[in-house]
Amino acid sequence: SLQTGQRGELRLGGGLYYKELPETIAVGTAGSYTMNNVKALGPHFGFEYLISITPKIGMQLNGRYYYSLIGLSTPNGQAMTPQPSMQYGIMGSYRYRTNLTGLVGYAYRIDRSAYKALAGDANDPNSTSLADPGSMNKSEISGHYINFLLEWDI
């Protein structure tokens, strides 16, 4: 971590991550569907900027960037296209003891995946796909979250 003045601290981090994204896939035109996972591995980078307002109360700004570089598994077995995902947020903190801090706040997160679609044949009644050659299957999950975090410094 890097001290930024008397009341601020910047933490940078990164590494590898593994992620499974759920995906709902329509089966034919009858309204039925299956649930599958897209599994990916890649680098992630992030930051936390902590600001001390008083000795016990503070605020944290945070963000994370994920890049699904390696597709481990897709529902149709086709190649995955790398996609970015991210999260950013703001939290309020309360220091209970010198080594114990509680945080609560808001975060927005968006996760993406994309992989090659299996091309279908409109002239074949048994075709399981309606996709054109070269099409991509894309999935995106986004949401607004309330986060609770307890930091314990050993």
Side-chain angles (χ1 to χ4, degrees), residues 118-134:
L118 290 174
D121 183 355
N123 298 321
D124 181 2
N126 296 320
S127 179
T128 58
S129 176
L130 300 174
D132 293 326

Side-chain angles (χ1 to χ4, degrees), residues 4 6 15 70 83 103 106 127 148 152:
T4 57
Q6 290 182 332
I70 300 168
Q83 294 290 308
L103 298 101
Y106 163 83
S127 179
F148 299 94
W152 179 36

Side-chain angles (χ1 to χ4, degrees), residues 5-68:
Q6 290 182 332
R7 295 183 174 223
E9 179 182 355
L10 178 64
R11 297 178 187 169
L12 302 174
L16 290 176
Y17 78 95
Y18 168 81
K19 186 182 295 192
E20 292 187 20
L21 279 176
E23 184 177 64
T24 305
I25 299 173
V27 178
T29 57
S32 59
Y33 62 90
T34 62
M35 293 295 294
N36 293 294
N37 286 324
V38 178
K39 299 173 185 175
L41 180 73
H44 76 89
F45 306 97
F47 76 93
E48 296 173 354
Y49 182 64
L50 297 95
I51 304 161
S52 178
I53 298 169
T54 71
K56 289 208 171 266
I57 297 173
M59 184 173 70
Q60 181 194 85
L61 304 173
N62 59 64
R64 286 238 173 258
Y65 179 82
Y66 304 87
Y67 194 66
S68 59

